[in-house]
Amino acid sequence: METTLRSTKETVVIGPDRPLVIIGERINPTGRKKLAKALEDGNLKLVQEEASKQVQEGAHVLDVNVGVSGIDEPKLLKEAILAVREVTEVPLCIDSALPRALEAGLQVYKGKALVNSVNGEERKLKEVLPVVKQYGAAVIGLTMDDDGIPKDAPKRLQIARKIVEEAQKIGIPPEDVIIDPLAMAISTDHTAALETLKAFRLIRDELGVNQTMGASNISFGLPERHPINGIFLAMAAIHGVTCPILDPTVWEIRRSILITDLLLAKDEYCMNFISVYRDKFPKE
């Protein structure tokens, strides 16, 4: 099953038999004071710089989130999307907790965007899915519902199935639903990674849809976060993740993606790995 995203000039296809698609996470003010301040001031220069830098470092899709308290988020999200489009043509993932902001972003987006996100809550399903359908977008579905985030993998599968079925009811095909089983921090639950891997596998085998995850969530609160995230990324790819959300400017993480593709026979004759490595380290 393949998910196709488009801008006016570029197309990205996500699928289990294709190389991993990197969704760049850096245009997000959460935990980033400098970016949050720039957004509060209506200054989108840093947004453009982050967009360009991530694409240069291998991002195929860019997540755009401008969620800062007290701002007019629909208006600013529109402006941010247009600002990003001035510096790069990669497809965008329009990210907001507000359905009206998602719709505002989709109104100015030209192509087929990815929406981040819907979940299994009844209110979210009713508010977000019709917007996704109206604008012909694809959508990320988070495996949480009105009872919160379930710990066990079978329950996450159940929520994923509900999201896919509800999307189908209004004409959104399964290939346009990308599931995120929500990797949780192993610092608070040492079984969290294992249960998430089980969820990836169940969703892959039962539903066949593409899957994403926030790659840095698993290591929250721990030292050596980049190695932990990199190894988990490789394990997740084996179990069904096809388009992780991550920071491509961290070489250790990008290298993990490249090596994972190489070892899973998704990099013919290792040419992409060699090409990127030569560009990154031209004197070696």
Side-chain angles (χ1 to χ4, degrees):
M1 192 177 295
E2 293 186 334
T3 305
T4 301
L5 305 176
R6 290 185 298 272
S7 68
T8 55
K9 295 183 179 180
E10 295 190 22
T11 298
V12 171
V13 182
I14 303 166
D17 297 322
R18 292 177 175 269
L20 290 167
V21 166
I22 296 172
I23 302 175
E25 70 179 10
R26 290 182 60 86
I27 304 175
N28 189 323
T30 304
R32 304 190 64 207
K33 293 181 180 179
K34 186 177 179 181
L35 179 58
K37 180 64 167 60
L39 291 170
E40 287 173 355
D41 295 342
N43 181 359
L44 297 174
K45 181 174 172 46
L46 185 55
V47 166
Q48 291 181 318
E49 291 174 359
E50 291 288 10
S52 297
K53 181 164 54 176
Q54 289 184 96
V55 172
Q56 183 179 349
E57 294 296 334
H60 307 99
V61 177
L62 294 177
D63 188 89
V64 180
N65 183 315
V66 298
V68 178
S69 179
I71 64 161
D72 183 345
E73 189 172 337
K75 178 177 180 291
L76 188 57
L77 187 54
K78 277 186 177 183
E79 293 171 353
I81 289 168
L82 294 174
V84 169
R85 191 49 74 230
E86 290 178 4
V87 297
T88 179
E89 284 291 342
V90 300
L92 301 184
C93 177
I94 301 174
D95 185 354
S96 176
L98 302 177
R100 59 191 178 89
L102 293 173
E103 183 164 15
L106 288 166
Q107 285 173 352
V108 298
Y109 186 84
K110 296 180 180 180
K112 181 180 178 182
L114 179 61
V115 167
N116 189 5
S117 60
V118 72
N119 59 46
E121 297 173 3
E122 294 297 333
R123 178 177 61 86
K124 284 289 188 180
L125 290 167
K126 291 176 181 177
E127 289 178 344
V128 176
L129 289 181
V131 175
V132 173
K133 171 61 177 175
Q134 180 182 350
Y135 290 93
V139 65
I140 293 174
L142 310 179
T143 59
M144 59 181 290
D145 60 14
D146 296 287
D147 296 323
I149 302 172
K151 180 178 178 179
D152 62 292
K155 176 62 175 175
R156 294 187 211 182
L157 169 64
Q158 181 181 336
I159 297 172
R161 180 178 284 112
K162 177 181 179 180
I163 294 170
V164 172
E165 289 176 350
E166 291 300 315
Q168 282 186 284
K169 287 179 182 178
I170 65 169
I172 302 170
E175 58 265 29
D176 282 342
V177 180
I178 298 174
I179 294 297
D180 182 348
L182 296 171
M184 306 301 289
I186 55 174
S187 57
T188 57
D189 177 4
H190 74 282
T191 68
L194 185 61
E195 202 64 29
T196 303
L197 291 172
K198 290 179 182 176
F200 289 140
R201 188 167 62 249
L202 283 173
I203 292 164
R204 178 198 64 192
D205 294 346
E206 297 288 333
L207 302 178
V209 295
N210 285 301
Q211 295 184 75
T212 186
M213 68 170 184
S216 61
N217 294 350
I218 205 77
S219 65
F220 183 78
L222 294 174
E224 297 288 347
R225 293 192 68 187
H226 295 329
I228 294 169
N229 296 342
I231 291 172
F232 187 67
L233 273 166
M235 298 171 74
I238 294 170
H239 288 81
V241 166
T242 53
C243 52
I245 301 172
L246 53 87
D247 182 353
T249 69
V250 177
W251 171 244
E252 193 162 6
I253 298 301
R254 190 183 179 202
R255 182 178 61 191
S256 296
I257 293 287
L258 292 166
I259 293 173
T260 298
D261 281 340
L262 184 148
L263 295 176
L264 292 180
K266 296 179 179 181
D267 183 2
E268 191 171 10
Y269 299 109
C270 310
M271 293 306 296
N272 188 48
F273 177 79
I274 293 168
S275 175
V276 171
Y277 198 89
R278 283 177 176 169
D279 288 343
K280 190 77 175 175
F281 306 103
K283 295 181 180 180
E284 295 188 10

